[in-house]
Each structure stands twice: as C-alpha cells, then as structure tokens.
Amino acid sequence: ARSLLIDRGGWVRGGGARGVVILMWVWFSLNFVGWSVLYFGYHYHAAWEEARVQKLRAEVAAKEAALASLRAQIHPHFLFNGLNALRDLIEHDPARARQMVTELAKLFRASLSSNDEPLVPLSAELETVEAYLHIEKTRFEERLEIHRTVDPAARHALLPPFLLQTLVENAVKYGMAANPARISYEVGMEERTLVLSVRNKGTLGVSTTSTGKGIAMARERLSILFDGRARLDLTECDGEVLAFVKIPQNFIQL
C-alpha cells in the first residue's frame, strides 16, 4: 500500500484523490456531530425550560385553588360571628351597626376580587386588614388591643393578596387567650425588600397546630411567586409569637 505524503504546499501525494476524500469526510463528520450536539442540546434545553415553566404555572394554579378553598371554609365561620355581633348592634347602636356593615362589605369585596391578580399593592391589603380588625374590635371591644406601624414608603410595595390579613387573623384568633389580647403589626421597607411582622401574646404549642395549613400555604405561595427569594418565619420569644415576612421587590415583574 502507498503511504500518504504531504508536500510543502499542503497537497497530498501518494494517496491522490482518496486522501483528500478521507480528510474531507473527517472534517464534515466532525462538523456534523458538533452542529448536531448544539442543535439537539438547544432544543432539549428549550423543552426542559418550557416543562419547568408549565410545572410552575400548574403549581401556582393548584395553590391558588387550594387557597380559595381554604378561604371558602374560613369565611362562613367568620361571617356567622360577624352577623351575630351585627344583630346585637342594630338595636343598641345603629351607627356602629352601619359602620360594621360597611367593613364587612369591604372585606368580602376584597375576597371576591383577590383571585384576579397574584399580587396587590400594600395599600389595598391594608384596607382589608383594617376592615377585618374593625369588625373584631367591634366584637371584642376592650378585650382586644391593636397597634400598628406602617412606613409610608412601603404602601406601593406588592405582596400576595390576603397574606398580611391571614397573619393578622391568625394572631387575633390565638392571641385572644390573653386578657386583654395585644395584637400588633408593623410594615416597613429595607432597601428594596418589604418587611412585615405580626405579633401576639402566646406560645407555639399544641393549641396552634391547626394554623399549620394556613402558614404552610402562605410559605408555598411566597416560594412559587418569588422563586424562593421571599421568606416567612414563625417564632416564639418572651411570651410572644412573631410572624415575620420578607418580600424582595426588585425581582417583581408585572
């Protein structure tokens, strides 16, 4: 067999055209393999990303449906208590009864519209919270003390609807064991992060296990909507239960 020799000009001698064909075949094969890897790699990544997005959308839809179901279970009980208090006020204090009807309307209007948007301005959430607290204050009167601190700079920040209201409602429900119950919530901004804290007297014990579903669902909503960058912690310190939330605003895209 004749060996292949390459002269100074780069031409193949000793193998003739066959040597040129072999080199071209190797070159085209390497290019084909390389482009094939890039092509299939790109489409595989695109398909994987689309599947991930679809999965997240399905999870969000499932969580929102579960949240709506949970609210549907809670609201009839809350409405029953509110109507009982309203019935007593109608005869003895018509002015307060009218105000309570107004706050009930605000609360349930917010509930009906909460599924329209995944996020709402804090100013809208505060209206819901204050409507709820007005009703509870009417019910419990001097047995319930409420304190709030709101940074005006935070009023345009965004958060999931009913998030703060759920934490406040939880604090009232389990803080009423103290007499009087002291409930407080604070809202502020740390750089581009919305910070919420809700406090009530009490302990994290057996009596609070039924709140796990609401807290767990709130955590999951934050995790999905903010890609794991938001947090919700529930801790106990010095006879108080603290719910603490941080929601970064610089990742929000509407």
Side-chain angles (χ1 to χ4, degrees):
R2 291 178 298 174
S3 60
L4 298 178
L5 298 175
I6 303 177
D7 63 18
R8 293 182 180 180
W11 296 96
V12 178
R13 293 187 296 106
R18 187 179 64 176
V20 174
V21 170
I22 292 173
L23 289 177
M24 291 181 66
W25 181 85
V26 171
W27 184 81
F28 280 115
S29 296
L30 291 175
N31 275 272
F32 176 78
V33 171
W35 282 108
S36 296
V37 170
L38 289 175
Y39 176 83
F40 288 107
Y42 170 78
H43 284 279
Y44 174 82
H45 176 75
W48 178 85
E49 186 67 20
E50 177 64 22
R52 188 181 74 89
V53 170
Q54 293 298 332
K55 180 182 178 182
L56 287 177
R57 288 175 178 171
E59 288 177 349
V60 170
K63 300 308 176 185
E64 291 299 328
L67 182 68
S69 176
L70 181 62
R71 286 202 297 265
Q73 297 173 27
I74 295 174
H75 285 167
H77 181 264
F78 175 78
L79 179 61
F80 176 78
N81 290 334
L83 290 177
N84 276 338
L86 180 61
R87 181 185 60 187
D88 294 335
L89 285 175
I90 289 174
E91 293 185 7
H92 304 98
D93 197 336
R96 291 180 66 195
R98 287 193 297 270
Q99 183 61 37
M100 189 170 183
V101 169
T102 300
E103 302 304 330
L104 279 168
K106 287 181 182 178
L107 187 63
F108 283 94
R109 182 174 62 248
S111 177
L112 290 173
S113 62
S114 63
N115 289 329
D116 294 340
E117 298 290 342
L119 301 171
V120 296
L122 176 70
S123 56
E125 178 75 357
L126 288 175
E127 289 184 9
T128 303
V129 170
E130 288 303 317
Y132 167 78
L133 288 175
H134 179 91
I135 295 168
E136 293 297 73
K137 182 65 176 177
T138 302
R139 288 181 58 204
F140 295 112
E141 297 182 336
E142 70 279 356
R143 290 179 54 203
L144 176 61
E145 296 180 5
I146 303 168
H147 305 275
R148 73 272 287 167
T149 303
V150 178
D151 181 357
R155 298 187 69 85
H156 297 292
L158 299 176
L159 73 166
F162 274 78
L163 175 64
L164 179 58
Q165 194 275 339
T166 297
L167 299 178
V168 170
E169 183 175 345
N170 186 71
V172 171
K173 181 177 180 181
Y174 292 96
M176 289 307 300
N179 192 9
R182 293 185 177 90
I183 309 299
S184 67
Y185 72 85
E186 297 181 13
V187 180
M189 294 291 295
E190 293 181 359
E191 296 181 351
R192 291 280 295 162
T193 300
L194 175 65
V195 180
L196 312 173
S197 63
V198 181
R199 300 174 183 270
N200 65 274
K201 280 192 171 184
T203 59
L204 290 174
V206 178
S207 61
T208 63
T209 55
S210 62
T211 67
K213 186 174 181 179
I215 295 296
M217 187 168 294
R219 284 196 180 106
E220 290 186 37
R221 293 178 75 203
L222 288 171
S223 177
I224 292 171
L225 290 171
F226 295 93
D227 197 21
R229 296 182 177 94
R231 55 178 285 196
L232 190 165
D233 297 322
L234 193 64
T235 60
E236 176 190 338
C237 182
D238 298 329
E240 286 189 330
V241 174
L242 169 65
F244 185 77
V245 181
K246 298 187 76 171
I247 303 176
Q249 300 293 294
N250 51 319
F251 295 101
I252 295 176
Q253 296 181 355
L254 295 179

mmCIF file of all heavy atoms in Angstrom, residues 71 74-75 78 107 125-133 136 159-172 196 198:
data_model
loop_
_atom_site.group_PDB
_atom_site.id
_atom_site.type_symbol
_atom_site.label_atom_id
_atom_site.label_comp_id
_atom_site.label_asym_id
_atom_site.label_seq_id
_atom_site.Cartn_x
_atom_site.Cartn_y
_atom_site.Cartn_z
ATOM 1 N N ARG A 71 -60.123 29.715 52.067
ATOM 2 C CA ARG A 71 -60.892 30.907 52.414
ATOM 3 C C ARG A 71 -62.388 30.616 52.432
ATOM 4 O O ARG A 71 -63.137 31.151 53.244
ATOM 5 C CB ARG A 71 -60.582 32.030 51.415
ATOM 6 C CG ARG A 71 -59.226 32.664 51.607
ATOM 7 C CD ARG A 71 -59.201 34.043 50.994
ATOM 8 N NE ARG A 71 -59.399 34.020 49.570
ATOM 9 C CZ ARG A 71 -58.422 34.013 48.668
ATOM 10 N NH1 ARG A 71 -57.167 33.983 49.060
ATOM 11 N NH2 ARG A 71 -58.691 34.019 47.374
ATOM 12 N N ILE A 74 -63.120 29.229 55.771
ATOM 13 C CA ILE A 74 -62.980 30.146 56.904
ATOM 14 C C ILE A 74 -64.071 31.197 56.921
ATOM 15 O O ILE A 74 -64.638 31.517 57.962
ATOM 16 C CB ILE A 74 -61.595 30.820 56.851
ATOM 17 C CG1 ILE A 74 -60.501 29.764 57.060
ATOM 18 C CG2 ILE A 74 -61.483 31.920 57.895
ATOM 19 C CD1 ILE A 74 -59.100 30.310 56.887
ATOM 20 N N HIS A 75 -64.410 31.746 55.772
ATOM 21 C CA HIS A 75 -65.306 32.893 55.720
ATOM 22 C C HIS A 75 -66.705 32.640 56.276
ATOM 23 O O HIS A 75 -67.250 33.519 56.932
ATOM 24 C CB HIS A 75 -65.385 33.430 54.292
ATOM 25 C CG HIS A 75 -64.151 34.198 53.910
ATOM 26 N ND1 HIS A 75 -63.871 34.552 52.622
ATOM 27 C CD2 HIS A 75 -63.131 34.676 54.667
ATOM 28 C CE1 HIS A 75 -62.723 35.220 52.604
ATOM 29 N NE2 HIS A 75 -62.265 35.287 53.817
ATOM 30 N N PHE A 78 -66.418 33.081 59.972
ATOM 31 C CA PHE A 78 -66.196 34.485 60.306
ATOM 32 C C PHE A 78 -67.470 35.295 60.082
ATOM 33 O O PHE A 78 -67.832 36.155 60.886
ATOM 34 C CB PHE A 78 -65.056 35.034 59.463
ATOM 35 C CG PHE A 78 -64.829 36.507 59.640
ATOM 36 C CD1 PHE A 78 -64.169 36.991 60.752
ATOM 37 C CD2 PHE A 78 -65.285 37.411 58.699
ATOM 38 C CE1 PHE A 78 -63.959 38.345 60.927
ATOM 39 C CE2 PHE A 78 -65.093 38.768 58.861
ATOM 40 C CZ PHE A 78 -64.416 39.235 59.980
ATOM 41 N N LEU A 107 -64.465 43.790 53.268
ATOM 42 C CA LEU A 107 -63.733 42.538 53.424
ATOM 43 C C LEU A 107 -64.138 41.508 52.379
ATOM 44 O O LEU A 107 -63.296 40.867 51.745
ATOM 45 C CB LEU A 107 -63.948 41.987 54.840
ATOM 46 C CG LEU A 107 -63.113 40.760 55.218
ATOM 47 C CD1 LEU A 107 -61.637 41.089 55.197
ATOM 48 C CD2 LEU A 107 -63.518 40.256 56.590
ATOM 49 N N GLU A 125 -54.055 45.917 50.525
ATOM 50 C CA GLU A 125 -54.052 44.883 51.565
ATOM 51 C C GLU A 125 -54.349 45.484 52.930
ATOM 52 O O GLU A 125 -55.055 44.872 53.754
ATOM 53 C CB GLU A 125 -52.697 44.176 51.582
ATOM 54 C CG GLU A 125 -52.534 43.105 52.641
ATOM 55 C CD GLU A 125 -53.281 41.817 52.333
ATOM 56 O OE1 GLU A 125 -53.982 41.762 51.302
ATOM 57 O OE2 GLU A 125 -53.187 40.871 53.126
ATOM 58 N N LEU A 126 -53.850 46.689 53.185
ATOM 59 C CA LEU A 126 -54.094 47.332 54.479
ATOM 60 C C LEU A 126 -55.576 47.657 54.664
ATOM 61 O O LEU A 126 -56.092 47.603 55.789
ATOM 62 C CB LEU A 126 -53.254 48.603 54.598
ATOM 63 C CG LEU A 126 -51.750 48.394 54.790
ATOM 64 C CD1 LEU A 126 -51.015 49.732 54.782
ATOM 65 C CD2 LEU A 126 -51.451 47.630 56.077
ATOM 66 N N GLU A 127 -56.268 48.005 53.586
ATOM 67 C CA GLU A 127 -57.710 48.250 53.693
ATOM 68 C C GLU A 127 -58.434 46.987 54.148
ATOM 69 O O GLU A 127 -59.351 47.044 54.982
ATOM 70 C CB GLU A 127 -58.261 48.718 52.341
ATOM 71 C CG GLU A 127 -57.829 50.118 51.944
ATOM 72 C CD GLU A 127 -58.479 50.552 50.639
ATOM 73 O OE1 GLU A 127 -59.384 49.833 50.154
ATOM 74 O OE2 GLU A 127 -58.093 51.609 50.107
ATOM 75 N N THR A 128 -58.021 45.845 53.608
ATOM 76 C CA THR A 128 -58.622 44.572 54.012
ATOM 77 C C THR A 128 -58.313 44.271 55.478
ATOM 78 O O THR A 128 -59.197 43.869 56.240
ATOM 79 C CB THR A 128 -58.086 43.438 53.127
ATOM 80 O OG1 THR A 128 -58.354 43.729 51.753
ATOM 81 C CG2 THR A 128 -58.720 42.106 53.495
ATOM 82 N N VAL A 129 -57.061 44.474 55.866
ATOM 83 C CA VAL A 129 -56.648 44.210 57.252
ATOM 84 C C VAL A 129 -57.427 45.092 58.216
ATOM 85 O O VAL A 129 -57.937 44.617 59.251
ATOM 86 C CB VAL A 129 -55.132 44.439 57.412
ATOM 87 C CG1 VAL A 129 -54.733 44.416 58.891
ATOM 88 C CG2 VAL A 129 -54.349 43.385 56.638
ATOM 89 N N GLU A 130 -57.541 46.383 57.909
ATOM 90 C CA GLU A 130 -58.225 47.300 58.817
ATOM 91 C C GLU A 130 -59.723 47.024 58.873
ATOM 92 O O GLU A 130 -60.349 47.202 59.930
ATOM 93 C CB GLU A 130 -57.957 48.745 58.401
ATOM 94 C CG GLU A 130 -56.533 49.213 58.690
ATOM 95 C CD GLU A 130 -56.179 49.073 60.165
ATOM 96 O OE1 GLU A 130 -57.015 49.415 61.028
ATOM 97 O OE2 GLU A 130 -55.058 48.609 60.454
ATOM 98 N N ALA A 131 -60.309 46.585 57.755
ATOM 99 C CA ALA A 131 -61.726 46.206 57.781
ATOM 100 C C ALA A 131 -61.933 45.021 58.715
ATOM 101 O O ALA A 131 -62.864 44.997 59.530
ATOM 102 C CB ALA A 131 -62.209 45.862 56.371
ATOM 103 N N TYR A 132 -61.044 44.037 58.608
ATOM 104 C CA TYR A 132 -61.126 42.863 59.489
ATOM 105 C C TYR A 132 -60.955 43.262 60.954
ATOM 106 O O TYR A 132 -61.732 42.832 61.824
ATOM 107 C CB TYR A 132 -60.064 41.842 59.085
ATOM 108 C CG TYR A 132 -59.880 40.767 60.110
ATOM 109 C CD1 TYR A 132 -60.784 39.706 60.212
ATOM 110 C CD2 TYR A 132 -58.817 40.817 61.008
ATOM 111 C CE1 TYR A 132 -60.623 38.724 61.178
ATOM 112 C CE2 TYR A 132 -58.643 39.834 61.971
ATOM 113 C CZ TYR A 132 -59.554 38.794 62.055
ATOM 114 O OH TYR A 132 -59.405 37.828 63.026
ATOM 115 N N LEU A 133 -59.939 44.085 61.239
ATOM 116 C CA LEU A 133 -59.682 44.472 62.621
ATOM 117 C C LEU A 133 -60.810 45.319 63.199
ATOM 118 O O LEU A 133 -61.119 45.226 64.397
ATOM 119 C CB LEU A 133 -58.352 45.231 62.713
ATOM 120 C CG LEU A 133 -57.096 44.373 62.536
ATOM 121 C CD1 LEU A 133 -55.852 45.255 62.525
ATOM 122 C CD2 LEU A 133 -56.996 43.329 63.655
ATOM 123 N N GLU A 136 -63.443 42.869 64.308
ATOM 124 C CA GLU A 136 -63.038 42.147 65.520
ATOM 125 C C GLU A 136 -63.025 43.072 66.742
ATOM 126 O O GLU A 136 -63.389 42.658 67.846
ATOM 127 C CB GLU A 136 -61.659 41.511 65.319
ATOM 128 C CG GLU A 136 -61.629 40.405 64.288
ATOM 129 C CD GLU A 136 -62.498 39.228 64.665
ATOM 130 O OE1 GLU A 136 -63.747 39.350 64.596
ATOM 131 O OE2 GLU A 136 -61.942 38.176 65.029
ATOM 132 N N LEU A 159 -47.467 42.447 47.310
ATOM 133 C CA LEU A 159 -47.485 41.208 48.074
ATOM 134 C C LEU A 159 -48.699 40.382 47.646
ATOM 135 O O LEU A 159 -49.644 40.921 47.056
ATOM 136 C CB LEU A 159 -47.517 41.477 49.574
ATOM 137 C CG LEU A 159 -48.821 41.987 50.195
ATOM 138 C CD1 LEU A 159 -48.753 41.861 51.722
ATOM 139 C CD2 LEU A 159 -49.152 43.404 49.814
ATOM 140 N N PRO A 160 -48.708 39.083 47.937
ATOM 141 C CA PRO A 160 -49.880 38.270 47.601
ATOM 142 C C PRO A 160 -51.105 38.741 48.382
ATOM 143 O O PRO A 160 -50.996 39.105 49.559
ATOM 144 C CB PRO A 160 -49.468 36.850 48.045
ATOM 145 C CG PRO A 160 -47.982 36.878 48.049
ATOM 146 C CD PRO A 160 -47.598 38.264 48.466
ATOM 147 N N PRO A 161 -52.284 38.779 47.754
ATOM 148 C CA PRO A 161 -53.492 39.219 48.464
ATOM 149 C C PRO A 161 -53.802 38.318 49.648
ATOM 150 O O PRO A 161 -53.611 37.107 49.605
ATOM 151 C CB PRO A 161 -54.584 39.138 47.387
ATOM 152 C CG PRO A 161 -54.057 38.191 46.370
ATOM 153 C CD PRO A 161 -52.573 38.372 46.368
ATOM 154 N N PHE A 162 -54.271 38.937 50.718
ATOM 155 C CA PHE A 162 -54.678 38.267 51.947
ATOM 156 C C PHE A 162 -53.506 37.674 52.735
ATOM 157 O O PHE A 162 -53.719 36.948 53.703
ATOM 158 C CB PHE A 162 -55.731 37.174 51.678
ATOM 159 C CG PHE A 162 -57.140 37.688 51.649
ATOM 160 C CD1 PHE A 162 -57.622 38.343 50.532
ATOM 161 C CD2 PHE A 162 -57.975 37.553 52.735
ATOM 162 C CE1 PHE A 162 -58.905 38.844 50.486
ATOM 163 C CE2 PHE A 162 -59.275 38.042 52.708
ATOM 164 C CZ PHE A 162 -59.739 38.686 51.579
ATOM 165 N N LEU A 163 -52.266 37.988 52.354
ATOM 166 C CA LEU A 163 -51.131 37.461 53.114
ATOM 167 C C LEU A 163 -51.066 38.092 54.505
ATOM 168 O O LEU A 163 -51.074 37.396 55.521
ATOM 169 C CB LEU A 163 -49.828 37.711 52.363
ATOM 170 C CG LEU A 163 -48.559 37.316 53.128
ATOM 171 C CD1 LEU A 163 -48.525 35.813 53.375
ATOM 172 C CD2 LEU A 163 -47.310 37.759 52.379
ATOM 173 N N LEU A 164 -51.006 39.427 54.557
ATOM 174 C CA LEU A 164 -50.946 40.103 55.856
ATOM 175 C C LEU A 164 -52.232 39.876 56.632
ATOM 176 O O LEU A 164 -52.201 39.668 57.854
ATOM 177 C CB LEU A 164 -50.700 41.602 55.648
ATOM 178 C CG LEU A 164 -50.623 42.451 56.921
ATOM 179 C CD1 LEU A 164 -49.520 41.955 57.847
ATOM 180 C CD2 LEU A 164 -50.411 43.924 56.564
ATOM 181 N N GLN A 165 -53.368 39.896 55.954
ATOM 182 C CA GLN A 165 -54.640 39.688 56.636
ATOM 183 C C GLN A 165 -54.693 38.304 57.285
ATOM 184 O O GLN A 165 -55.194 38.152 58.402
ATOM 185 C CB GLN A 165 -55.800 39.859 55.641
ATOM 186 C CG GLN A 165 -57.167 39.995 56.296
ATOM 187 C CD GLN A 165 -57.805 38.645 56.598
ATOM 188 O OE1 GLN A 165 -57.443 37.641 56.009
ATOM 189 N NE2 GLN A 165 -58.747 38.638 57.526
ATOM 190 N N THR A 166 -54.161 37.284 56.606
ATOM 191 C CA THR A 166 -54.139 35.931 57.167
ATOM 192 C C THR A 166 -53.296 35.879 58.434
ATOM 193 O O THR A 166 -53.681 35.257 59.428
ATOM 194 C CB THR A 166 -53.590 34.936 56.134
ATOM 195 O OG1 THR A 166 -54.465 34.895 55.007
ATOM 196 C CG2 THR A 166 -53.482 33.536 56.726
ATOM 197 N N LEU A 167 -52.137 36.553 58.415
ATOM 198 C CA LEU A 167 -51.267 36.570 59.587
ATOM 199 C C LEU A 167 -51.914 37.316 60.751
ATOM 200 O O LEU A 167 -51.814 36.895 61.915
ATOM 201 C CB LEU A 167 -49.920 37.199 59.233
ATOM 202 C CG LEU A 167 -49.107 36.476 58.150
ATOM 203 C CD1 LEU A 167 -47.826 37.241 57.867
ATOM 204 C CD2 LEU A 167 -48.802 35.049 58.568
ATOM 205 N N VAL A 168 -52.584 38.436 60.435
ATOM 206 C CA VAL A 168 -53.270 39.202 61.485
ATOM 207 C C VAL A 168 -54.433 38.385 62.050
ATOM 208 O O VAL A 168 -54.648 38.347 63.269
ATOM 209 C CB VAL A 168 -53.747 40.553 60.934
ATOM 210 C CG1 VAL A 168 -54.671 41.251 61.928
ATOM 211 C CG2 VAL A 168 -52.554 41.447 60.611
ATOM 212 N N GLU A 169 -55.195 37.753 61.175
ATOM 213 C CA GLU A 169 -56.318 36.939 61.634
ATOM 214 C C GLU A 169 -55.836 35.802 62.526
ATOM 215 O O GLU A 169 -56.453 35.479 63.553
ATOM 216 C CB GLU A 169 -57.063 36.375 60.427
ATOM 217 C CG GLU A 169 -58.306 35.563 60.790
ATOM 218 C CD GLU A 169 -59.079 35.132 59.564
ATOM 219 O OE1 GLU A 169 -58.833 35.681 58.470
ATOM 220 O OE2 GLU A 169 -59.935 34.247 59.708
ATOM 221 N N ASN A 170 -54.719 35.199 62.157
ATOM 222 C CA ASN A 170 -54.127 34.138 62.971
ATOM 223 C C ASN A 170 -53.732 34.669 64.347
ATOM 224 O O ASN A 170 -53.943 34.013 65.376
ATOM 225 C CB ASN A 170 -52.908 33.583 62.237
ATOM 226 C CG ASN A 170 -52.310 32.371 62.923
ATOM 227 O OD1 ASN A 170 -52.903 31.301 62.913
ATOM 228 N ND2 ASN A 170 -51.145 32.544 63.507
ATOM 229 N N ALA A 171 -53.141 35.885 64.374
ATOM 230 C CA ALA A 171 -52.715 36.484 65.641
ATOM 231 C C ALA A 171 -53.910 36.781 66.543
ATOM 232 O O ALA A 171 -53.862 36.555 67.763
ATOM 233 C CB ALA A 171 -51.924 37.761 65.362
ATOM 234 N N VAL A 172 -55.008 37.288 65.961
ATOM 235 C CA VAL A 172 -56.207 37.574 66.753
ATOM 236 C C VAL A 172 -56.793 36.275 67.304
ATOM 237 O O VAL A 172 -57.144 36.184 68.489
ATOM 238 C CB VAL A 172 -57.252 38.327 65.905
ATOM 239 C CG1 VAL A 172 -58.578 38.431 66.649
ATOM 240 C CG2 VAL A 172 -56.743 39.716 65.542
ATOM 241 N N LEU A 196 -42.688 42.578 56.806
ATOM 242 C CA LEU A 196 -43.923 42.521 57.599
ATOM 243 C C LEU A 196 -43.647 41.765 58.888
ATOM 244 O O LEU A 196 -42.954 40.743 58.878
ATOM 245 C CB LEU A 196 -45.033 41.796 56.831
ATOM 246 C CG LEU A 196 -45.301 42.184 55.376
ATOM 247 C CD1 LEU A 196 -46.321 41.224 54.775
ATOM 248 C CD2 LEU A 196 -45.798 43.612 55.291
ATOM 249 N N VAL A 198 -45.930 40.495 62.491
ATOM 250 C CA VAL A 198 -47.198 40.447 63.227
ATOM 251 C C VAL A 198 -46.939 39.740 64.550
ATOM 252 O O VAL A 198 -46.373 38.641 64.564
ATOM 253 C CB VAL A 198 -48.288 39.708 62.427
ATOM 254 C CG1 VAL A 198 -49.593 39.702 63.205
ATOM 255 C CG2 VAL A 198 -48.478 40.348 61.051
#
